Amino acid sequence: MKPVETRLARLALKGDQRAFAEIVDMYKDKLYHLAYRMTGNRQEAEDVVQEAFLRVYKNLDRYDENQKFSTWIYRIATNLCIDRLRKRKAVYSLDAESGDHEGLDGYSMLPSDDRTPESELLLSETQRLIQESIATLPVKYKSVMILRYLQDLSLQEISDVLDMPVTTVKTRVHRGREFLRKKLEHKL
């Protein structure tokens, strides 16, 4: 039995507008969060989501049913974000130095369930610092880090989305964490 997205894609391809509307409803928030984290701009994120759904609609006939629909739609949105980021004036080096130490990930910053107003404030400040630091990552690390830690995709799924070898994804995750560690070591 095929996943629901595959069935909806088939129906949408045959002209069923309600099926496509369901696909939009399933993915609009996920794609918006991905695009916003990558671009750091609400308007650009909304534009990316709209363009992504336009491309999905126009290219439904190209969707390979042997592939996960989520991987396909994430790839479209991620590529649109990367294109937008590349068109911006580059502010940061494209190559961050790689170190020998593993950096902290965002999950290590989460507090236990017994939250106090003080811990909530500290958490929101920490999350803000982490998000600001992620926003400064070079594009090739930013997309991998967002897909890995904010969208919670596996290394293999990221490899499929970005169409690159898993070893490259691992390297970029490592270098992205190192870049973040250096950025955050004096702030946290």
Side-chain angles (χ1 to χ4, degrees), residues 67-68 70-72 75 144 147-148 152-170 173:
Q67 182 184 25
K68 285 177 69 176
S70 60
T71 300
W72 185 64
R75 177 183 290 168
V144 171
L147 291 170
R148 179 72 180 115
D152 203 28
L153 297 183
S154 70
L155 296 175
Q156 183 59 55
E157 289 172 321
I158 296 168
S159 169
D160 294 341
V161 167
L162 298 177
D163 197 25
M164 65 177 60
V166 175
T167 53
T168 304
V169 172
K170 286 181 184 178
V173 166

Side-chain angles (χ1 to χ4, degrees), residues 1 24 34 71 118 129 136-137 163:
M1 186 167 182
V24 170
L34 169 71
T71 300
E118 186 178 36
L129 286 171
T136 67
L137 284 172
D163 197 25

Side-chain angles (χ1 to χ4, degrees), residues 59-92:
N59 295 297
L60 273 172
D61 59 327
R62 292 183 178 176
Y63 168 60
D64 178 3
E65 292 184 9
N66 297 321
Q67 182 184 25
K68 285 177 69 176
F69 188 83
S70 60
T71 300
W72 185 64
I73 199 167
Y74 273 130
R75 177 183 290 168
I76 291 169
T78 301
N79 287 342
L80 287 168
C81 289
I82 289 170
D83 289 345
R84 282 181 175 265
L85 292 171
R86 283 184 180 149
K87 289 177 183 174
R88 289 183 184 171
K89 183 178 178 187
V91 178
Y92 299 97

